[in-house]
């Protein structure tokens, strides 16, 4: 315990939360936002480390949060993976914040409240007869929500949708989130309409383990969300802890000159640039981002791979011994053209030809070495299953290795197996641990995409 910890006195409910958390061996951190020498309780913050599977999740506790937590046995709570979800062990319930797959949070709330079976509750939490609701006043408000029977209620009206079956050991409830959940994931993780935002409650008697809770949450929500989308065109997802993609830091040469923007002179393929720009906007969806860059590169397969075929034919024709009257030599030309056509060429071969037409080993070596930690990551085996490592040894064919790696990652995203066979791997899933490791590979394919688009430019943008 630091000196500031031993002297902490907030003068509010945080004092009790701090005492209970310390007694339960939950790691606590007390600090001064302004880092002053004298301790002012108004400037102190309290951070509590809650269990989060095999990790910890630090939560900043405000005085309002502490007013809620002090009435609960919060040391028994654990976050569920990277979801904005909490397992309340003492009551056998998992509560998870819901997020809209499309549209705004308010639109999601309106759609859910309009579902058949939604109950409207009185201030004591008891269901009321919705057919008897007097909606004359609510219907005049902009914040009115239309229920499935045509009645209007205010957006702030208490409600719930209970899904249960006498033969099932599990019940589900969708309703506005509890104060307990918002005390842990409000603010940064749930900044929009936190009080009204709905959550899913999964009730399972006796559930205690994090891994069991995670599996139950994912199993039930995947089935529930699919059926809600199919039957009601309501697209929902589980809220996740907000994060910002980590940028790859590159070493900048000393004395590098920053040129001012200039009027573009080159004309770039608009289709490829559109895909590239789409990838730049998909910052929190790494798989979509990766595929966008790959598709931008793929756009140039015909021209770059075709250039290789033409080069081979030209070399045959340049041979002084070539005789246009010799059918065997002409057949060789036909064989080169037919065996090297796009229809017979593998996608990996076309990718490699496109990269070779845009850069060489020295370019890739220099880029990988310029990014902090990239060389070490790419050289390690098994970081992403079924994806080969990249060696920068003097004799290594780096561009060929990179092309193989890019292709394998692409296959893991779009296919359930990589070409079949003993080295096959499962599909690369969004939000998985492997997907979170794509930072360096995204940086690399982003660079490759830039090179290919630049080298595939279509001449001058204007004629002088």
């Amino acid at each position: 315990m630091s000196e500031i910890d031993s002297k902490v006195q907030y003068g509010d409910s945080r004092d009790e939360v701090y005492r209970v958390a310390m007694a339960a061996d939950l790691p606590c951190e007390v600090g001064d936002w302004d880092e002053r020498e004298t301790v002012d309780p108004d400037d102190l913050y309290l951070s509590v480390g809650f269990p989060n599977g095999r990790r910890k999740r630090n939560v900043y506790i405000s005085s309002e949060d502490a007013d809620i937590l002090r009435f609960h046995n919060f040391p028994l709570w654990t976050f569920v993976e990277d979801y904005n979800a909490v397992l309340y062990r003492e009551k056998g319930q998992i509560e998870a914040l819901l997020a809209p797959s499309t549209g705004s949070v308010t639109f999601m709330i309106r759609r859910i409240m309009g579902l058949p079976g939604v109950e409207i509750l009185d201030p004591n939490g008891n269901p009321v007869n919705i057919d008897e609701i007097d909606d004359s006043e609510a219907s005049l408000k902009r914040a009115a929500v239309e229920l499935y029977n045509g009645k209007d209620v205010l957006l702030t009206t208490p409600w719930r949708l209970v899904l249960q079956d006498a033969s099932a050991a599990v019940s589900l409830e969708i309703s506005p989130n509890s104060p307990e959940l918002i005390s842990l994931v409000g603010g940064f993780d749930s900044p929009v309409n936190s009080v009204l935002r709905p959550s899913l409650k999964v009730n399972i008697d006796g559930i205690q383990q994090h891994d069991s809770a995670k599996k139950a949450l994912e199993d039930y929500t995947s089935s529930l969300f699919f059926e809600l989308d199919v039957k009601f065109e309501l697209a929902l997802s589980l809220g996740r802890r907000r994060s910002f993609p980590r940028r790859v830091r590159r070493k900048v040469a000393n004395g590098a000159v920053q040129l001012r923007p200039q009027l573009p002179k080159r004309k770039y393929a608009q289709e490829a640039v559109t895909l590239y720009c789409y990838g730049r906007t998909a910052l929190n969806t790494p798989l979509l981002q990766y595929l966008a860059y790959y598709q931008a590169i793929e756009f140039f397969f015909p021209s770059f791979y075709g250039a290789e075929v033409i080069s081979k034919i030209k070399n045959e024709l340049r041979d002084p011994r070539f005789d246009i009257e010799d059918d065997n030599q002409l057949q060789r030309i036909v064989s080169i053209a037919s065996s090297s056509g796009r229809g017979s060429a593998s996608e990996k071969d076309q990718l490699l030809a496109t990269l070779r037409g845009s850069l060489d080993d020295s370019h890739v070596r220099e880029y990988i070495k310029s990014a902090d930690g990239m060389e070490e990551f790419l050289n390690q085996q098994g970081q992403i299953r079924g994806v080969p490592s990249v060696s920068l040894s003097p004799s290594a064919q780096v561009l060929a290795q990179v092309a193989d790696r890019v292709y394998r990652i692409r296959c893991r995203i779009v296919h359930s197996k990589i070409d079949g066979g003993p080295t096959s791997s499962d599909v690369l899933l969004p939000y998985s641990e492997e997907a979170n490791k794509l930072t360096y590979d995204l940086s690399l394919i982003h660079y490759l995409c830039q090179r290919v688009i630049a080298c595939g430019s279509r001449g001058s943008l204007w004629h002088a």
Side-chain angles (χ1 to χ4, degrees):
M1 183 184 298
S2 67
E3 181 179 353
I4 195 171
D5 289 352
S6 62
K7 296 180 179 179
V8 62
Q9 287 290 328
Y10 294 101
D12 54 41
S13 299
R14 284 176 292 179
D15 291 326
E16 184 174 350
V17 169
Y18 175 79
R19 177 184 59 78
V20 173
M22 291 295 292
D25 291 328
L26 295 181
C28 295
E29 180 182 349
V30 178
D32 188 349
W33 292 115
D34 297 324
E35 299 182 353
R36 298 171 180 170
E37 294 183 1
T38 57
V39 178
D40 185 344
D42 292 336
D43 295 325
L44 292 178
Y45 65 79
L46 171 62
S47 173
V48 178
F50 283 83
N52 190 181
R54 292 160 184 81
R55 297 170 292 171
K56 294 288 184 182
R57 187 187 299 193
N58 293 323
V59 178
Y60 289 100
I61 307 297
S62 67
S63 59
E64 293 80 6
D65 297 331
D67 288 339
I68 298 169
L69 294 177
R70 64 190 292 258
F71 293 107
H72 298 278
N73 195 0
F74 63 85
L76 292 179
W77 299 352
T78 181
F79 284 99
V80 181
E81 197 71 14
D82 289 327
Y83 298 110
N84 281 330
V86 176
L87 167 61
Y88 306 117
R89 291 190 176 95
E90 74 279 14
K91 57 181 179 180
Q93 184 185 83
I94 310 158
E95 183 178 10
L97 207 62
L98 294 180
S101 295
T102 58
S104 66
V105 172
T106 302
F107 177 76
M108 172 183 66
I109 297 172
R110 292 178 182 275
R111 288 297 313 281
I112 297 176
M113 290 182 69
L115 291 174
V118 166
E119 298 176 305
I120 300 302
L121 309 177
D122 64 21
N124 296 319
N126 300 312
V128 301
N129 188 338
I130 63 173
D131 292 324
E132 298 178 357
I133 292 177
D134 181 5
D135 63 350
S136 56
E137 183 176 348
S139 61
L140 301 177
K141 304 289 186 180
R142 293 187 61 185
V145 177
E146 184 178 352
L147 303 178
Y148 66 91
N149 69 338
K151 292 282 188 175
D152 289 326
V153 296
L154 294 177
L155 194 66
T156 54
T157 303
W159 61 275
R160 71 184 178 197
L161 174 63
V162 178
L163 307 173
Q164 59 186 356
D165 190 293
S167 62
V170 175
S171 66
L172 307 178
E173 178 184 317
I174 301 177
S175 56
N177 51 228
S178 69
E180 301 95 285
L181 184 63
I182 288 302
S183 70
L184 298 185
V185 302
F188 179 76
D189 279 324
S190 178
V192 182
N193 292 335
S194 294
V195 177
L196 301 178
R197 196 164 182 170
S199 67
L200 174 71
K201 289 86 172 173
V202 182
N203 300 295
I204 308 175
D205 287 340
I207 190 165
Q208 295 289 307
Q209 300 299 320
H210 168 273
D211 290 355
S212 299
K214 177 176 179 289
K215 186 177 188 308
L217 179 63
E218 292 176 338
D219 286 347
Y220 285 106
T221 54
S222 60
S223 298
L224 174 64
F225 294 165
F226 178 73
E227 290 197 1
L228 288 177
D229 194 13
V230 170
K231 296 178 180 178
F232 303 100
E233 295 187 2
L234 174 60
L236 300 177
S237 61
L238 289 173
R240 290 178 177 270
R241 190 179 187 187
R242 294 180 68 195
S243 61
F244 296 97
R246 180 170 61 89
R247 296 186 61 185
V248 175
R249 296 179 57 191
R250 298 188 61 204
K251 305 179 183 73
V252 180
N254 293 331
V257 179
Q258 296 294 322
L259 300 177
R260 60 176 293 177
Q262 297 178 339
L263 186 67
K265 296 181 179 180
R266 304 295 298 174
K267 182 179 181 181
Y268 305 105
Q270 186 268 337
E271 301 91 337
V273 171
T274 298
L275 289 166
Y276 172 83
C277 292
Y278 177 72
R280 292 294 282 161
T281 64
L283 293 179
N284 292 311
T285 50
L287 304 189
L288 285 178
Q289 189 177 18
Y290 198 95
L291 283 182
Y293 293 147
Y294 185 91
Q295 288 178 310
I297 295 173
E298 188 179 30
F299 176 82
F300 295 96
F301 281 6
S303 55
F304 280 98
Y305 190 76
E308 272 200 355
V309 176
I310 292 172
S311 178
K312 290 179 182 179
I313 294 176
K314 281 183 177 180
N315 289 336
E316 290 291 329
L317 296 176
R318 286 169 180 157
D319 191 327
R321 294 165 295 184
F322 180 79
D323 183 1
I324 195 172
E325 301 298 332
D326 188 334
D327 289 347
N328 289 331
Q329 294 188 46
L330 289 174
Q331 185 60 46
R332 186 182 306 143
I333 298 292
V334 173
S335 296
I336 292 174
S338 59
S339 64
S340 301
R342 283 200 76 206
S344 59
S346 71
E347 184 164 341
K348 187 162 62 173
D349 289 339
Q350 295 178 66
L351 171 62
L352 180 56
T354 302
L355 296 183
R356 280 177 173 164
S358 307
L359 66 172
D360 55 33
D361 274 20
S362 63
H363 292 112
V364 182
R365 287 177 183 271
E366 180 181 348
Y367 183 81
I368 292 175
K369 286 181 174 294
S370 73
D372 291 340
M374 181 179 288
E375 180 179 358
E376 294 77 9
F377 179 85
L378 296 180
N379 194 36
Q380 293 179 11
Q381 293 280 357
Q383 290 280 16
I384 303 175
R385 287 173 298 153
V387 174
S389 60
V390 174
S391 170
L392 297 189
S393 66
S395 61
Q397 296 182 346
V398 181
L399 196 56
Q401 294 180 71
V402 166
D404 190 21
R405 185 179 180 94
V406 168
Y407 175 72
R408 294 293 186 111
I409 292 176
R410 174 261 180 195
C411 288
R412 285 224 37 209
I413 294 174
V414 301
H415 299 311
S416 60
K417 298 291 182 182
I418 298 179
D419 293 339
T423 60
S424 63
S425 300
D426 294 334
V427 64
L428 187 56
L429 292 172
Y431 310 115
S432 65
E433 183 177 350
E434 288 184 307
N436 293 333
K437 291 181 179 179
L438 285 177
T439 301
Y440 286 118
D441 287 285
L442 277 169
S443 177
L444 179 57
I445 195 174
H446 176 219
Y447 167 70
L448 298 175
C449 186
Q450 289 178 333
R451 291 284 310 190
V452 170
I453 291 176
C455 293
S457 59
R458 299 171 172 177
S460 298
L461 190 58
W462 71 88
H463 297 286

